[in-house]
């Protein structure tokens, strides 16, 4: 062993080196998180992905062009025609404002990046930030090692990656960072009791509220944890500081966001936090009273307060229940209700159920999205209980609730991912701690006393005591040092010392030394496990989640095929139709049409008006003439359908058609789902029902399709179509893309309809369809 | 049917070449006295025989009389009557959407004084659509022919009838008395093919009108002349018949005409099939950014339009894919851009992302970029896109003897056979460049601007050049001169270094400072 001064300088040097190394690793984790998400840019192009990001992109464009005040007042007349939509008041502005600010800063430095570029790279940047936030959170819970491991796991976790690849410009990309960071600040406040962090926490919560509707998760999880702490008898002033300012400031700030507004105090999602707010005050008051009264007086006071308190509580609860019961959905929004009752959506709101990401996940999707973390999580939970602190109990609670939510909706797998990463990070780092330590000790033993087999135990204990002594010395040095320089930093160091002592005590407690062979094999196995995870994540990033979904590719013998039909159609609409023309399509394509084609749509992905969507669904499910009438009453000029039958693109409108029927039928009862099914089966071949074959969607999709191959073989449904040769009387084809994936029809002008009417009796041979047409036309609500 | 078309075309021709009312009145008065009016009258009568409805013909005849008569009245004031054109031959090429006219004139000086300028006359419509005129002096015969380019400038002269526009060709050596010389002129007309019918269906082919004069509009007496019109296909719906008119295959021949007085004009109209791509770039902005670190970056923003007959009704992809030559004859789906050699980092996209249908071929001479817009363009359809590329600096940037740098870059649009309505070239010089000036071989607007790009503080001087009606013949090099000292290249890297250095300094300072309000000692 070296002399004390040497030891001191060596230790500080080692500490400094450790700090720099940790900093460097953190930086690299950020780089990793950023660059693994660039597969989509490299494999495809720098383009906005999918559906919702297009809306966010359009909003950001508006913001950067017109400024913040115009943005708050923006009434968008390009969508939900003729209703329009108040964008400023119905959108979570966090993402948009973030990207807008980034763009503004870059442009004021004369770096001429386009809004699109900034939007494309927002998600990767915030993934790096999320990884750093995970590091901070896990470090608060269980030290630097666990923090680094958790951060690196989060940087590449497929679940989060699916929402944050470059181009996936969606709320979640920013929100997950805000979520983790809020949790970190909460834990930090809980650990330090600093009001400074409590304020930051409220601000971070505000950012989360700005970014994503998932903020309700925070405002329910933190009260749950506070309640848990109180119940476990862990109430402290730190807990109070961590919670009370958050509720007060957080709620006030949340109410500033237009889309939340008074919901922050009026909907049931927020009531839990207020209830716990009351409870924590009661508890604080009780502990205060207990402090100033003698035990006997305290007992008297308790009985007094309890009787009054119970009365007041009963009264308050009664009022609350009455308030809640008076609102139609019991004060809960549909999406929240479907979280509490997983069968709620499929029973009552087909529009929520129709979205694939609102379905419950399957087991493979767990494996796909969090991979080996699923196996490491239990180990992490166990590690969190040894010993259980406020912070680790919070992480456990977070994990448990998010596991439940992810079980209800695939989308919420995203919330589970950070929890799983933190848990696995803790588990892995604990495992490595134990294993490497035993390897180290065994090795030193081997090197120091190779021949003396009997001294092994002695040796180990001396080594151990040496280590402990070293630690003690270091602490002594530190305390001296601290006395010399009292400052903010000294406070930091104080904390470090506390940590040190804690870790020391842990070290002492964990004297279980595994055999060298076993531990090295275990290390090897863990490394293999982690490399499996890494391989899976890279594969997921490169193959599974990088496709932008507006441009499709397929590989065949003669090379790569690119299907760029969506943009072809949108570009055609943009350049070759009048600027005020209305385009009707199923709501999936609403955001893309407004963003890429810049044309007014009837419905879009913000499914706020069920009736309007049902109207479009009804039109699509109706025969030509009533459909024409519905569309004409909505001033529609073009109808856009997506058809995958020629190239085998499965998520086309024919496959979504039953949802249109269901949603349409939910509002307009003359559309009945059984009319479109033959013996409960959905089919488009010769066995299909006449209602199906006469529906507008069928006709627009398969118009002249039979002439491509002579048989009309649909490659998605793997069958020949039922009705092959037919003419359109009220619509005319104006554009079909190269692979027929998007077909655009124009409504014929009414003049032709008159002619059609005159001719009709001569031409139609089937009286049955004629009567049905009349019948449905009569019931059409838009006449 | 053909006759009706012709009639229509005559009317439109008349409307296009609209005499001012004052001149018309004058012409009416003079009509009785001037014997010259008889000459065109005869021709019109001859033409009238070919037209069926006599009443209409009378009206037309009257109108034509007026047109034909009006220039002759002002003959006395026309410039330089001492010059006459011994022979003129015009070859009008109508095979693409851009009209090219090759005019060969043999000019003789009859007067006593030297003649140094030869004048060309254009009708106002022609002048409006005139994109470029090039003239050259031809010496020698056949294989030993030598071409010397001549300057052509617009001029104004008093007393030019019907608002005809004059251009003067400056000869290198003045023409002495009795001397003759041969001048070859090429001029290009844009937007001169008028689609009729104006709207066609997918499977119809596109028919256009071309209006011109059977005889050369000239301020001089023309002794002998002939005109050939070349159409893209054999399909000619109708054409105006003037006395000696011949049609053989794709060629129409008007003439020979003899002894035509100055400013004589016989409107003719040809109605024929032209399915060539009527690709018109309505607006093209080319940004040429010079970086002294070794590259020139070019970004070209296109607004493309099919300017032919408008598409109407159905577009059936099925028909288009099955027989594109029939169902989509008038459409085009690809364009060829000729880029400079050694081009790299080429991209082709539009506002919603990359367009994947393009091919690039590079060799030593030039690079060819074959691009397809997202969809085939039918009449009236539009598309916008951006082409960008980089070229090495040393190929385009040179140093003039007086120490100035100059960029030598091609003007005009790199797209093959495409006309540009409004061209803007922005040459963005590096930050710190001084005294920019542009040398452009033809007249165009140019002015200076400031552009701010990556980390600029003072901004980059930008030379903006604007020109209307640009045709492929404008693809000649132009130069932009400027002074630049290489020290400015280091400004931005040094700025970054300083910022990062200051940041680290600040970090060090922060770590060594105690900013707490109260010390725990107290």
């Amino acid at each position: 062993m070296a002399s004390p001064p040497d030891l001191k300088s060596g230790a500080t040097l080692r500490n400094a080196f450790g700090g720099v190394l940790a900093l460097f690793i953190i930086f690299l984790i950020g780089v990793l998180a950023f660059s693994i998400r660039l597969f989509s840019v490299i494999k495809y192009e720098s383009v906005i992905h999918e559906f919702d990001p297009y809306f966010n992109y359009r909003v950001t464009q508006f913001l950067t062009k017109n400024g913040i005040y115009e943005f708050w007042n923006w009434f968008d007349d390009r969508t939900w025609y003729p209703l329009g939509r108040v964008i400023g008041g119905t959108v979570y502005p966090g993402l948009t404002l973030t990207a807008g600010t980034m763009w503004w800063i870059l442009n004021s430095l004369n770096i001429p990046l386009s809004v699109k570029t900034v939007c494309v790279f927002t998600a990767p940047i915030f993934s790096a930030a999320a990884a750093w936030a995970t590091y901070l959170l896990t470090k608060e819970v269980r030290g630097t090692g666990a923090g680094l491991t958790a951060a690196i796991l989060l940087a590449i976790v497929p679940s989060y990656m699916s929402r944050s690849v470059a181009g996936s410009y969606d709320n979640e990309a920013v929100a997950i960072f805000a979520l983790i960071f809020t949790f970190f600040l909460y834990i930090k406040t809980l650990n330090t009791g600093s009001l400074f962090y409590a304020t930051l926490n409220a601000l971070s919560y505000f950012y989360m509220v700005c970014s994503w509707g998932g903020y309700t998760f925070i405002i329910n999880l933190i009260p749950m944890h506070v309640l848990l702490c109180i119940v476990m008898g862990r109430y402290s002033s730190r807990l109070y500081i961590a919670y009370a300012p958050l509720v007060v400031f957080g709620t006030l700030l949340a109410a500033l966001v237009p889309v939340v507004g008074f919901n922050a105090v009026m909907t049931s999602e927020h009531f839990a936090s207020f209830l716990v707010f009351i409870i924590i005050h009661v508890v604080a008051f009780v502990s205060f009273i207990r402090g100033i009264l003698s035990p006997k007086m305290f007992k008297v006071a308790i009985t007094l307060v309890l009787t009054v308190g119970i009365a007041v509580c009963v009264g308050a609860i009664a009022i609350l229940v009455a308030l809640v019961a008076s609102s139609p959905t019991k004060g809960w929004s549909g999406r929240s209700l479907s979280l509490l009752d997983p069968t709620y959506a499929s029973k009552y709101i087909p529009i929520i159920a129709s979205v694939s990401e609102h379905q419950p996940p399957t087991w493979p999707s767990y494996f796909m999205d969090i991979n080996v973390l699923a196996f490491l999580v239990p180990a992490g939970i166990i590690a969190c209980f040894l010993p259980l602190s406020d912070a680790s109990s919070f992480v456990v609670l977070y994990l448990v609730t998010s596991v439940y939510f992810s079980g209800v909706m695939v989308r919420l797998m995203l919330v589970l991912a950070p929890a799983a990463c933190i848990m696995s990070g803790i588990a892995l780092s604990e495992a490595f701690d134990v294993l490497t330590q035993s390897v180290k000790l065994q090795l030193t033993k081997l090197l120091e006393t190779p021949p003396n087999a009997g001294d092994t135990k002695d040796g180990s204990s001396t080594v151990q005591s040496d280590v402990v002594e070293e630690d003690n010395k270091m602490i002594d040095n530190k305390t001296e040092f601290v006395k010399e320089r009292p400052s903010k930093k000294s406070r930091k160091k104080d904390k470090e010392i506390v940590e040190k002592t804690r870790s020391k005590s842990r070290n002492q407690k964990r004297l279980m030394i595994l055999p060298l062979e076993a531990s090295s094999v275990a290390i090897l196995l863990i490394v293999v496990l982690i490399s499996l995870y890494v391989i899976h994540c890279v594969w997921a990033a490169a193959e599974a989640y990088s496709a932008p979904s507006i441009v499709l590719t397929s590989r065949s013998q003669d090379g790569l095929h690119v299907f760029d039909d969506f943009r072809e159609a949108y570009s055609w609409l943009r350049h070759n139709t009048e600027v005020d023309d209305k385009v009707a399509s199923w709501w999936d394509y609403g955001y893309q049409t407004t963003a890429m084609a810049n044309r007014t749509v009837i419905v879009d992905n913000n499914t706020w008006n069920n009736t309007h969507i049902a109207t479009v669904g009804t039109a699509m499910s109706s025969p030509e003439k009533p459909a024409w009438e519905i569309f004409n009453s909505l001033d529609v000029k073009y109808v856009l359908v997506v058809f995958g039958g020629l190239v085998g693109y499965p998520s086309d409108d024919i496959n979504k058609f039953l949802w249109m029927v269901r949603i349409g039928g939910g509002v307009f009862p003359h559309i009945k789902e059984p009319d479109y099914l033959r013996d409960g089966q959905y089919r488009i071949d010769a066995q299909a029902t006449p209602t199906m074959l006469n529906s507008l969607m069928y006709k627009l999709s398969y118009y002249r399709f039979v002439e491509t191959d002579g048989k009309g073989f649909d490659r998605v449904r793997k069958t020949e179509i039922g009705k092959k040769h037919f003419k359109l009387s009220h619509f005319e084809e104006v554009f079909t893309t190269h692979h027929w994936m998007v077909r655009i029809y124009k409504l014929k002008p009414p003049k032709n309809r008159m002619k059609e009417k005159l001719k009709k009796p001569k031409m139609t041979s089937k009286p049955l369809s004629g009567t049905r047409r009349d019948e449905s036309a009569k019931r059409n609500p838009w006449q | 049917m053909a006759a009706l078309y012709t009639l229509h075309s005559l009317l439109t021709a008349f409307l296009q070449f609209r005499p001012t009312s004052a001149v018309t009145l004058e012409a009416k008065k003079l009509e009785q006295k001037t014997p010259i009016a008889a000459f065109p009258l005869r021709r019109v009568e001859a033409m009238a025989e070919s037209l069926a409805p006599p009443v209409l013909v009378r009206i037309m005849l009257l109108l034509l009389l007026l047109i034909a008569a009006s220039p002759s009245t002002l003959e006395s004031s026309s410039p330089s009557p001492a010059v006459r054109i011994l022979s003129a031959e015009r070859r009008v090429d109508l095979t693409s959407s851009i009209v090219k006219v090759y005019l060969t004139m043999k000019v003789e000086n009859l007067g006593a004084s030297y003649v140094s300028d030869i004048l060309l006359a254009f009708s106002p419509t022609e002048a409006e659509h005139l994109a470029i005129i090039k003239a050259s002096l031809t010496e020698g015969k056949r294989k030993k022919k030598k071409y010397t380019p001549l300057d052509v400038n617009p001029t104004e002269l008093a007393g030019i009838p019907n608002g005809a526009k004059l251009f003067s060709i400056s000869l290198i050596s003045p023409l002495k008395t009795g001397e003759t010389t041969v001048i070859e002129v090429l001029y290009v007309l844009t937007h001169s093919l008028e689609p009729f019918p104006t709207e066609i269906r997918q499977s119809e082919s596109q028919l256009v009108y071309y209006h011109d004069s059977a005889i050369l509009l000239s301020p001089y007496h023309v002794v002998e002349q002939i005109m050939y019109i070349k159409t893209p296909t054999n399909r000619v719906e109708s054409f105006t018949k003037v006395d000696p008119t011949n049609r053989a295959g794709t060629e129409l021949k008007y003439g020979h005409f003899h002894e035509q007085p100055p400013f004589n004009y016989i409107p003719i109209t040809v109605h024929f099939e032209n399915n060539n791509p009527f690709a018109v770039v309505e607006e093209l902005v080319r940004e040429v950014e010079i970086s002294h670190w070794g590259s020139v970056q070019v970004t070209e923003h296109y607004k493309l339009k099919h300017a032919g007959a408008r598409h109407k009704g159905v577009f059936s992809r099925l028909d288009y894919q099955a027989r594109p030559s029939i169902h989509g004859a008038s459409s085009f789906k690809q364009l060829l851009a000729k880029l400079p050699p050694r081009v790299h980092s080429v991209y082709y996209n539009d506002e919603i992302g990359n367009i994947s249908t393009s091919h690039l071929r590079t060799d030593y001479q030039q690079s060819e970029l074959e691009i397809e817009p997202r969809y085939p363009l039918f009449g009236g359809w539009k598309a916008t896109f951006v082409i960008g590329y980089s070229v090495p600096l040393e190929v385009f940037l040179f140093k003039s003897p007086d120490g100035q740098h100059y960029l030598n870059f091609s003007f005009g649009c790199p797209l093959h056979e495409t006309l540009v309505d409004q061209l803007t070239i922005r040459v963005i010089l590096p930050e710190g460049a001084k005294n920019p000036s542009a040398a452009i071989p033809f007249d165009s607007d140019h002015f200076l601007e400031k552009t701010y790009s990556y980390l600029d503080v003072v901004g980059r001087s930008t030379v903006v050049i604007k020109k209307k009606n640009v045709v492929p013949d404008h693809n000649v090099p132009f130069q932009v001169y400027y002074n630049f000292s290489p020290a400015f290249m280091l400004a931005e890297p040094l700025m970054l270094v300083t910022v990062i250095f200051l940041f680290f300094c600040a970090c060090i300072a922060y770590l060594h400072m105690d900013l707490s309000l109260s010390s725990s000692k107290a």
Side-chain angles (χ1 to χ4, degrees), chain A residues 104-245:
Chain A
W104 180 80
I105 290 171
L106 285 171
N107 269 266
S108 53
L109 289 175
N110 280 330
I111 299 175
L113 288 183
S114 66
V115 178
K116 190 173 91 181
T117 315
V118 174
C119 290
V120 165
F121 292 102
T122 300
I125 289 170
F126 273 83
S127 320
W132 292 331
T134 310
Y135 162 75
L136 292 172
L137 173 59
T138 320
K139 191 183 152 210
E140 275 311 305
V141 177
R142 196 47 70 90
T144 315
L148 289 176
T149 325
I152 203 163
L153 290 177
L154 185 99
I156 55 174
V157 68
S159 170
Y160 183 33
M161 218 142 56
S162 71
R163 290 317 189 101
S164 63
V165 292
S168 187
Y169 179 54
D170 213 345
N171 289 335
E172 288 93 332
V174 174
I176 292 302
F177 157 71
L179 180 87
I180 302 170
F181 198 64
T182 312
F183 287 157
F184 155 68
L185 285 169
Y186 170 70
I187 295 293
K188 185 87 185 171
T189 327
L190 199 58
N191 280 348
T192 58
S194 149
L195 205 51
F196 170 70
Y197 285 113
T199 319
L200 281 189
N201 191 15
L203 286 175
S204 170
Y205 171 66
F206 173 56
Y207 185 65
M208 177 70 191
V209 177
C210 282
S211 309
W212 195 31
Y215 76 91
T216 46
F217 181 61
I218 296 184
I219 205 63
N220 284 305
L221 181 65
I222 290 180
M224 272 165 80
H225 179 243
V226 171
L227 204 62
L228 188 75
C229 284
I230 291 171
V231 167
M232 291 195 306
R234 281 170 166 273
Y235 172 78
S236 63
S237 59
R238 287 181 286 111
L239 187 68
Y240 181 83
I241 287 175
Y243 185 65

Side-chain angles (χ1 to χ4, degrees), chain A residues 2 21 28 120 169 230 312-313 322 419 423 456 545 653 697:
Chain A
L21 189 67
L28 284 186
V120 165
Y169 179 54
I230 291 171
V312 169
C313 277
M423 282 301 177
T456 328
Y545 291 136
D653 277 348
M697 180 50 72

Side-chain angles (χ1 to χ4, degrees), chain A residues 370-389:
Chain A
I370 56 174
N371 201 247
V372 301
L373 303 188
F375 312 124
L376 291 171
V377 162
I381 296 176
I382 292 167
C384 277
F385 277 97
L386 309 166
L388 188 70
S389 64

Side-chain angles (χ1 to χ4, degrees), chain A residues 45 109-110 486-489 564 567-568 571-572 574-576 704 707-708 733-734 736-738 740, chain B residues 314-319 321 351-354 374 381-382 384 452-456 510 513-514 520:
Chain A
E45 54 179 290
L109 289 175
N110 280 330
S487 72
K488 179 180 67 192
K489 260 138 271 167
D564 205 357
R567 287 192 295 187
E568 182 182 348
S571 173
W572 185 85
R574 186 188 188 99
H575 295 298
N576 302 309
R704 295 189 74 187
E707 292 170 55
T708 53
E733 183 186 13
V734 286
T736 298
T737 56
H738 190 248
W740 288 51
Chain B
V314 174
F315 165 66
S316 166
R317 176 68 69 170
L318 183 83
D319 294 338
Q321 274 168 343
E351 61 268 77
I352 54 174
N354 182 44
R374 288 191 187 274
W381 288 11
K382 293 175 183 173
T384 59
Y452 291 89
S453 184
Y454 294 93
L455 295 173
D456 285 350
Y510 174 76
M513 265 193 301
D514 186 1
S520 56

